Amino acid sequence: MFPERRRRKRRRGGWFALLAVALLLAASFGFTNLRSDRADLREFVDLAAVAALEQEALAAQFGDFLNFEIRGADRDRIIALFSGIKDAARERLDELKLLEVPAGGAHSEALFSEAFEAWLAGSAALESGLLAAADDPASPIPVISIDNALTEMRVGDRLYERFLLSLDDLRSELETEVGDVPVVAYAPVNGLVLTGIDLADAVRGAEEVAAFNDVRVNQIGLDPDFTGGEHDGVGVLAFTESVDLTIVITNVGNLPESNLAVAARVTTVADGVSVFSEQTTIDSLEPGASKTVEFFGVPVVEGITHEVLAIVNALTDDVDTDNNTATLRFFIQAES
């Protein structure tokens, strides 16, 4: 009898020990998960705080622009403003995708994302509507587009308000203070109410905003360069059998250009004989930008005046075709 009771005690004691170890491991695992969730949640809140400060500044610029600056702005200013808003929203949304927000923060994360997506969509539509109103002043479509864009921006504001309210629930999850997260409002309720008609009228007929194409030949250069002397009023180059030619093309319009054909022809002035003729292509050229194209080994004749003719192809809607060509004369000194 006694040996049997001792065996049962040993079994019960072993079972309790296993149970204690299991409970200890479960508690440790749960504590580790809790710490991990809190760390992930804190990372999300920190990202939201940084993004909110950025958006607060952008929203202030947005409001000042629409209320006070739009009538004097040009196309570049409009594009720069809205590009800043869109780029910031995309960057923060991309960062958010890399986070693992725990279940306790899922509601806040959804509101935060939806607010940024609404601001992104609204700002893109508003930029497009303003530019369309300037490009086609008689069309009623941009007015509708601008109104819809403003509504989308207000939707983003409301979603962000709900996100701020949801942060109260996260304080208990984090067991620490969340800190101040600023209010962001692109279209505040107590601000000046703007409509599609107001904003479309502000840019209609504005030459600085309306799209226009204009490329020009900005400069012609030679290597070797002029010696400083003259021959019959034409700059002189020291004796050489060939020159290298550079042509600077500038986009003075406010639209990006592509596939610009640049041609160079060199003739002898006395008889009009062509000694060189070539063409190249500029793949792309942003507004305000310049690009230099080069032609090497252009043959020249000593004791003769030459003329360079540079041409950049005139675009269909180029507003000034006169600046699409330029000429430069030079005289090659005779060999001594």
Side-chain angles (χ1 to χ4, degrees), residues 76-114:
D76 290 344
R77 169 65 177 130
I78 293 174
I79 292 173
L81 172 69
F82 287 99
S83 293
I85 296 171
K86 292 184 295 182
D87 290 346
R90 288 192 189 101
E91 182 177 349
R92 297 311 178 190
L93 286 169
D94 287 343
E95 289 175 349
L96 188 60
K97 291 176 183 177
L98 301 177
L99 300 184
E100 295 183 6
V101 181
H107 178 60
S108 294
E109 187 269 339
L111 292 171
F112 179 84
S113 297
E114 289 168 5

Side-chain angles (χ1 to χ4, degrees), residues 110-133:
L111 292 171
F112 179 84
S113 297
E114 289 168 5
F116 272 66
E117 287 168 356
W119 289 333
L120 176 58
S123 57
L126 185 53
E127 176 189 8
S128 178
L130 290 173
L131 298 181

Side-chain angles (χ1 to χ4, degrees), residues 28 33 72 80 98 123 138 165 209 226-227 231 255 260 294 296 311:
S28 175
N33 281 347
L98 301 177
S123 57
L165 292 174
V209 180
F226 293 102
T227 62
H231 176 83
L255 294 174
L260 296 174
E294 299 175 307
F296 298 105
I311 304 172

Side-chain angles (χ1 to χ4, degrees), residues 66-321:
L66 293 188
N67 289 321
F68 309 114
E69 302 172 19
I70 188 170
R71 291 190 180 275
D74 59 20
R75 196 178 187 94
D76 290 344
R77 169 65 177 130
I78 293 174
I79 292 173
L81 172 69
F82 287 99
S83 293
I85 296 171
K86 292 184 295 182
D87 290 346
R90 288 192 189 101
E91 182 177 349
R92 297 311 178 190
L93 286 169
D94 287 343
E95 289 175 349
L96 188 60
K97 291 176 183 177
L98 301 177
L99 300 184
E100 295 183 6
V101 181
H107 178 60
S108 294
E109 187 269 339
L111 292 171
F112 179 84
S113 297
E114 289 168 5
F116 272 66
E117 287 168 356
W119 289 333
L120 176 58
S123 57
L126 185 53
E127 176 189 8
S128 178
L130 290 173
L131 298 181
D135 294 343
D136 190 2
S139 173
I141 295 176
V143 174
I144 299 171
S145 299
I146 293 171
D147 274 328
N148 291 339
L150 290 172
T151 298
E152 192 72 17
M153 299 299 283
R154 294 187 185 102
V155 168
D157 291 349
R158 301 293 85 77
L159 288 165
Y160 185 79
E161 285 179 6
R162 292 171 59 190
F163 160 72
L164 288 180
L165 292 174
S166 75
L167 291 180
D168 290 335
D169 297 332
L170 298 187
R171 287 183 171 87
S172 59
E173 294 279 342
L174 290 170
E175 294 186 348
T176 59
E177 281 299 316
V178 171
D180 293 331
V181 179
V183 174
V184 178
Y186 278 90
V189 175
N190 60 347
L192 179 63
V193 178
L194 297 171
T195 67
I197 292 177
D198 296 327
L199 297 180
D201 286 345
V203 296
R204 280 173 172 161
E207 293 182 359
E208 297 83 358
V209 180
F212 69 94
N213 301 88
D214 190 12
V215 291
R216 74 179 180 197
V217 178
N218 206 34
Q219 184 181 1
I220 300 173
L222 299 170
D223 185 20
D225 205 346
F226 293 102
T227 62
E230 286 191 359
H231 176 83
D232 292 338
V234 176
V236 174
L237 271 63
F239 170 77
T240 180
E241 294 181 348
S242 66
V243 298
D244 295 334
L245 180 63
T246 59
I247 300 172
V248 179
I249 305 298
T250 301
N251 181 359
V252 291
N254 60 14
L255 294 174
E257 304 291 354
S258 60
N259 298 320
L260 296 174
V262 181
R265 186 176 66 191
V266 179
T267 58
T268 53
V269 172
D271 52 16
V273 173
S274 176
V275 295
F276 178 84
S277 181
E278 270 192 27
Q279 179 175 301
T280 188
T281 301
I282 296 176
D283 294 332
S284 62
L285 194 60
E286 293 299 312
S290 296
K291 191 160 288 187
T292 301
V293 297
E294 299 175 307
F295 300 93
F296 298 105
V298 176
V300 290
V301 182
E302 64 175 311
I304 297 291
T305 297
H306 302 70
E307 182 177 78
V308 179
L309 171 63
I311 304 172
V312 57
N313 64 318
L315 304 171
T316 304
D317 299 318
D318 198 310
V319 298
D320 183 6
T321 55

